[in-house]
């Protein structure tokens, strides 16, 4: 039982980190988009687009990782509940 609770606590910490990382990707994209709108005439737009796309892809990958973690957490919750109920 203690092992399940430890795994669940670690999963919660990992979930929080993933949520922060996803949020940071979104914030950085917004900063870059604003930069692009201010400098569109003076920068190489295809490169800027590649940068935004790369960060967006990273955010999507993190979001997928979060989804898998949340599925795992659901399974752990079920196991914890089944151990607690006699």
């Amino acid at each position: 039982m203690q092992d399940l609770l430890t795994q669940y606590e670690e999963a919660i910490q990992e979930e929080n980190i993933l949520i922060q990382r996803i949020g940071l990707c979104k914030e950085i994209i917004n900063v870059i988009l604003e930069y692009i709108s201010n400098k569109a005439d003076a920068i190489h737009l295809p490169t800027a687009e590649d940068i935004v796309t790369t960060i967006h892809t990273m955010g999507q990958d993190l979001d997928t990782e979060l989804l898998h973690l949340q599925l795992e957490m659901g399974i752990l919750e079920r196991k914890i509940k089944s151990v607690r109920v006699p």
Side-chain angles (χ1 to χ4, degrees):
M1 173 68 167
Q2 188 61 38
D3 187 46
L4 289 174
L5 291 173
T6 301
Q7 287 177 2
Y8 191 76
E9 289 171 10
E10 289 172 357
I12 289 172
Q13 291 173 353
E14 188 176 345
E15 179 184 42
N16 290 334
I17 291 169
L18 285 169
I19 289 168
Q20 289 175 342
R21 292 179 71 192
I22 292 165
L24 180 59
C25 286
K26 291 177 181 182
E27 285 180 44
I28 290 174
I29 286 172
N30 288 335
V31 169
I32 293 170
L33 291 174
E34 185 167 332
Y35 176 84
I36 291 169
S37 71
N38 291 331
K39 304 278 186 172
D41 295 335
I43 63 171
H44 188 254
L45 290 177
T47 300
E49 184 178 351
D50 288 345
I51 292 167
V52 170
T53 301
T54 299
I55 296 170
H56 177 70
T57 300
M58 180 181 175
Q60 287 179 315
D61 291 344
L62 291 169
D63 203 33
T64 300
E65 189 175 337
L66 177 61
L67 174 65
H68 290 282
L69 178 64
Q70 289 170 334
L71 287 167
E72 188 178 313
M73 289 172 70
I75 293 167
L76 282 171
E77 285 175 13
R78 179 69 180 155
K79 287 180 181 179
I80 291 168
K81 287 177 185 175
S82 71
V83 170
R84 285 186 178 165
V85 176

